[in-house]
Amino acid sequence: MEVYDAMRARTSVRAYAQTPVSADSLERILESGRISPSAMNYQPWHFIVVKDLEKRKAMSKARYAGFLKEAPVVIVGCGDKKRSPEWHVVDTTIALQNMVMTATAEGLGTCWIGSFDENLIRNILKIPDHLAVVALLAVGHSRKKLDLMAALAKSKSRKRISEVASYEEFGLAEKRA
Ligand SMILES: Cc1cc2nc3c(=O)[nH]c(=O)nc-3n(C[C@H](O)[C@H](O)[C@H](O)COP(=O)(O)O)c2cc1C
């Protein structure tokens, strides 16, 4: 799948089938994180793959994270604040989004989770102090048919380009020749 098509096809999935994520797909997803860019190439991240149901149930307690108990894989993105105090959040976020796009190209659904209790996650997964929990990703096969072509055609509920981008200076529209 072309990157642009994957961008258009991606949508947050909150209902998952119990089909496991293949080892090959998971490897490609993690590899996409591993090779991501980072400031000074510090790679200030660590990704914890959680499949265990009891752990996922415990992590799903947050308000908008109930479906974590259904998603067969949860990837917990941690940023190394000691290694890169300034950029660990940005770098880890980039790596996680690259994983999202690879998962999409693999035909998998994903959802970012920002709704989590950091202390709870730290305790469940025994995360050391130098790592901050940046975000979680739910990954799995969508329970509803993930019709990529339909998703492609779906008009996204987004601001218009003119509201979010300017040319040459803030607020200027593109000059057409
Ligand atoms: C940083 C971040 C945190 C998010 N946290 C949650 C969350 O805790 N629970 C949830 O259901 N969706 C969460 N989302 C998904 C957004 O609600 C979703 O991306 C947005 O509504 C746009 O919809 P789309 O992803 O289907 O295009 C999060 C997305 C991002 C980028």
Side-chain angles (χ1 to χ4, degrees):
M1 186 190 287
E2 294 289 331
V3 173
Y4 187 62
D5 291 342
M7 293 284 173
R8 306 261 302 170
R10 186 215 56 80
T11 189
S12 290
V13 168
R14 298 182 178 88
Y16 291 91
Q18 290 314 293
T19 322
V21 173
S22 77
D24 280 355
S25 288
L26 190 53
E27 192 181 316
R28 280 193 280 268
I29 291 167
L30 290 174
E31 178 68 357
S32 318
R34 188 183 77 84
I35 63 177
S36 292
S38 59
M40 305 293 286
N41 197 23
Y42 279 164
Q43 304 162 65
W45 46 54
H46 189 92
F47 310 107
I48 305 178
V49 177
V50 183
K51 297 183 193 173
D52 179 79
L53 178 60
E54 292 311 313
K55 286 197 172 83
R56 286 188 285 116
K57 271 188 189 163
M59 294 196 301
S60 72
K61 297 277 188 269
R63 194 164 175 199
Y64 301 106
F67 53 92
L68 286 184
K69 52 183 174 295
E70 204 180 285
V73 172
V74 178
I75 298 176
V76 178
C78 303
D80 189 331
K81 44 192 178 184
K82 203 164 139 200
R83 178 84 173 129
S84 184
E86 199 174 351
W87 295 105
H88 65 278
V89 173
V90 169
D91 290 342
T92 304
T93 305
I94 290 169
L96 288 172
Q97 182 61 13
N98 284 350
M99 291 188 198
V100 164
M101 296 321 304
T102 294
T104 306
E106 294 282 313
L108 292 162
T110 58
C111 190
W112 277 84
I113 308 288
S115 169
F116 58 85
D117 175 339
E118 175 153 10
N119 284 330
L120 181 82
I121 303 286
R122 304 189 80 84
N123 288 336
I124 297 169
L125 305 179
K126 303 187 171 61
I127 298 175
D129 286 346
H130 67 284
L131 297 179
V133 181
V134 173
L136 280 56
L137 289 182
V139 183
H141 294 273
S142 177
R143 186 142 52 83
K144 294 164 193 160
K145 196 172 172 318
L146 197 65
D147 183 343
L148 294 183
M149 294 318 288
L152 266 175
K154 182 180 110 176
S155 161
K156 288 264 184 181
S157 53
R158 294 297 195 267
K159 295 178 183 177
R160 293 186 305 273
I161 283 282
S162 58
E163 290 178 82
V164 299
S166 307
Y167 287 81
E168 308 304 344
E169 66 180 67
F170 181 81
L172 288 189
E174 185 183 20
K175 275 201 190 115
R176 303 236 174 222

